Amino acid sequence: MYPTRHFTLPTLKQRTGRAVALAVLAAAALTGTGAADALALPATPPAATSTSTSTADSTATVTGGTTADADTLREGAAAPAAATLRDRIVAAARGQIGVTESNSACQKYLTGKGQTCRNTSWCAAFAEWTWRHAGVKSVPTTLLGRGVGKWGQEHHLFHTGSPKPGDLVVYGPPASERGGHVGVVVSVNRDGTLDTVEGNVSNKVTHRHIDPHTAKGGTKNWKISGYVTPPGA
């Protein structure tokens, strides 16, 4: 029989119990391994380990600059493939923060509309671009902030409370009239406040932290009338 070094059956029983001790001694005899070595063998093979990598936060805020990284992010931050539609809207909106009229970077929001962002209000165009970039299939195409609210009513997507990230926030009663404003809800906070990203605020895409009961927007300082849910969300 193969040696078991200084371990005896009573010692093994004391350490491991009778059944385990006998199994260890049997294993040592069959494999030529001392009992001490057998006891050291793991009960199960070690679990495979894996490494993971992470990409930069897709909702990083860009506040200015002309570096290649900033320009890439401003094309619309890409949310992870598994992200929900609302996640993609938020990522796209946040990725545009800081885009201004000064270098006509805002012109992309008005592609195909025959307007420039220096001679027309473009908050609604920004909201449309954000939804479209995130993959929303049906989007409002009006250049009127209040018109977005009307579009929402016509599509049974307009509601006056309980906003969610990815909704469009409408300042002013829904109507095909000027003077209102629209932005994108990116966060609903526990204290009831909202974080929004809105185009054409001080001539740029701006992050705002607002109280939805008192916040105002547009040339007529309208209060918030409601929100528009993205189709498919």
Side-chain angles (χ1 to χ4, degrees), residues 55-62 69-81 83-97 99 108-109 126 129-135 186 197 205:
T55 58
D57 183 3
S58 64
T59 60
T61 297
V62 174
D69 289 342
D71 289 341
T72 299
L73 185 55
R74 283 175 179 163
E75 286 304 310
T84 67
L85 179 60
R86 291 185 181 277
D87 292 333
R88 296 198 299 271
I89 293 171
V90 169
R94 287 189 181 276
Q96 301 301 296
I97 295 173
V99 171
K108 63 184 174 184
Y109 309 133
F126 168 72
W129 181 94
T130 301
W131 269 16
R132 194 185 298 278
H133 189 82
V186 296
V197 176
V205 179

Side-chain angles (χ1 to χ4, degrees), residues 168-192:
L168 301 183
V169 52
V170 179
Y171 298 81
S176 296
E177 297 182 17
R178 296 183 180 276
H181 184 59
V182 64
V184 182
V185 177
V186 296
S187 178
V188 179
N189 307 310
R190 290 185 177 183
D191 61 359

Side-chain angles (χ1 to χ4, degrees), residues 29-61:
L30 291 173
T31 64
T33 304
D37 296 332
L39 281 174
L41 294 176
T44 57
T49 58
S50 63
T51 58
S52 61
T53 58
S54 60
T55 58
D57 183 3
S58 64
T59 60
T61 297

Side-chain angles (χ1 to χ4, degrees), residues 60-158:
T61 297
V62 174
T63 56
T66 58
T67 65
D69 289 342
D71 289 341
T72 299
L73 185 55
R74 283 175 179 163
E75 286 304 310
T84 67
L85 179 60
R86 291 185 181 277
D87 292 333
R88 296 198 299 271
I89 293 171
V90 169
R94 287 189 181 276
Q96 301 301 296
I97 295 173
V99 171
T100 71
E101 294 180 3
S102 61
N103 57 1
S104 297
C106 56
Q107 191 58 40
K108 63 184 174 184
Y109 309 133
L110 290 160
T111 300
K113 295 185 180 298
Q115 302 283 346
T116 67
C117 55
R118 291 193 176 189
N119 65 15
T120 190
S121 297
W122 48 276
C123 61
F126 168 72
E128 174 191 343
W129 181 94
T130 301
W131 269 16
R132 194 185 298 278
H133 189 82
V136 180
K137 302 303 182 182
S138 178
V139 300
T141 57
T142 177
L143 288 177
L144 302 174
R146 294 174 64 186
V148 172
K150 181 180 179 181
W151 179 91
Q153 286 183 330
E154 293 170 348
H155 290 77
H156 308 289
L157 298 169
F158 183 83

